[in-house]
Amino acid sequence: MDFRAFIEPQQGASYADQVAVAKTAEQLGFSAFFRSDHYLAMSGDGLPGPTDSWVTLGAIARETSSIRLGTLVTSATFRHPGPLAIAVAQVDDMSGGRVEFGLGSGWFEKEHQAYGIPFPPLRERFDRLGEQLAIVTGLWTTRPGATYDYAGEYYTIAGSPALPKPAQSPHPPIVIGGLGAHRTPRLAAKYAAEFNVPFAPPDVTEKQYQRVAQAVEAAGRPPESMVYSSAFVLCAGRDDRELARRAAAIGRDLDELRSNSPLVGTPAEIVDNLGAWRRIGVQRVYTQLLDLTDLTHLELIASEVMPQLL
């Protein structure tokens, strides 16, 4: 299994908090540092306030050297596809080719209301997501010296120089996720290198993986060309006292956490839990660290869980 650090900074995190997690994760051997793309806390006061995902990742790119960087996931409602392609390509260059690009349709209506961002109906959001994927990849893969055009229902591109290019060729790996039964698997099969199901029960996750695998086959892709991942909240401890302390620090009930995340318990429990998830197809785990001040939490996973599952 591949392990990645994943944070939700809209819940309350400074840039300094985030870069500390990224540097620690890099030193400990996590393969990537990912962050959410939100502008409003889901609970609590969210102080000191939101940080923009791609501004933050651009800065972290210059403060790290090997860890991969990405979003789980960027919201297509937040940005026009042309400027988004420029921003991600720039961060990829700034990182020396370490970016992975998660893109989704957007879902949290309150943050759109809070910052004046249009929030269209679900069908339109998915339509826009499909057009954005086409445009961003089209801009990145247009050969140097040529121009790119696109005429869609929501976006039109005319005579774009399609610059800059990302450092990775043909472009950064794309991550798509979610539980949509039809359009989501088709988009993943067309564009994604990785498919993610976050915070879902095992049976739901397995069924969605099967749908995506079928779409990958229908698209004529090799089965191994898709990586299957999931995200789980982290609450690990060497004993009950440490577990209770970490659950209290994130305002969660320990029994509730145990019931919905395999990353809850002692290191031995977590290794056993993840064995079952590996059997249903999980190849990559995003460890959701909610208390960004508790960097020893990552150290525990790196020293006592990862070596047994890598």
Side-chain angles (χ1 to χ4, degrees), residues 32-43:
F33 168 83
F34 270 60
R35 56 155 289 162
S36 59
D37 187 24
H38 285 294
Y39 291 134
L40 192 69
M42 285 77 179
S43 62

Side-chain angles (χ1 to χ4, degrees), residues 14-236:
S14 66
Y15 170 72
D17 295 328
Q18 296 175 68
V19 76
V21 174
K23 286 183 172 182
T24 299
E26 182 174 67
Q27 293 164 1
L28 292 172
F30 286 82
S31 69
F33 168 83
F34 270 60
R35 56 155 289 162
S36 59
D37 187 24
H38 285 294
Y39 291 134
L40 192 69
M42 285 77 179
S43 62
D45 56 25
L47 293 174
T51 51
D52 182 85
S53 61
W54 288 104
V55 171
T56 301
L57 291 173
I60 290 175
R62 306 304 297 173
E63 299 202 50
T64 55
S65 60
S66 61
I67 196 165
R68 297 189 67 80
L69 305 168
T71 52
L72 201 66
V73 291
T74 291
S75 176
T77 57
F78 288 174
R79 302 164 181 87
H80 292 292
L84 179 59
I86 291 170
V88 177
Q90 181 178 355
V91 177
D92 197 43
D93 180 66
M94 294 166 70
S95 69
R98 291 185 282 126
V99 158
E100 301 193 11
F101 177 49
L103 186 65
S105 61
W107 63 271
F108 190 27
E109 185 173 7
K110 286 184 178 180
E111 70 186 334
H112 294 74
Q113 296 169 344
Y115 288 96
I117 304 167
F119 187 72
L122 180 61
R123 179 179 293 276
E124 181 180 331
R125 297 202 306 277
F126 262 91
D127 289 343
R128 287 180 178 272
L129 172 62
E131 289 193 20
Q132 289 214 4
L133 286 163
I135 291 168
V136 170
T137 56
L139 290 167
W140 285 340
T141 57
T142 296
R143 61 177 178 82
T147 58
Y148 177 73
D149 299 277
Y150 179 88
E153 183 176 355
Y154 299 103
Y155 305 104
T156 299
I157 306 289
S160 173
L163 296 172
K165 302 301 184 193
Q168 297 175 85
S169 181
H171 54 71
I174 292 172
V175 183
I176 292 176
L179 297 175
H182 304 292
R183 299 179 71 180
T184 299
R186 289 197 298 268
L187 284 174
K190 186 172 183 178
Y191 294 106
E194 176 183 336
F195 187 78
N196 180 268
V197 178
F199 313 115
D203 58 333
V204 174
T205 301
E206 184 175 25
K207 179 62 177 177
Q208 189 67 341
Y209 285 174
Q210 291 170 352
R211 291 185 182 118
V212 173
Q214 291 166 1
V216 166
E217 181 180 11
R221 289 176 52 177
E224 65 275 10
S225 66
M226 183 70 77
V227 174
Y228 295 90
S229 66
S230 192
F232 309 109
V233 63
L234 176 64
C235 185

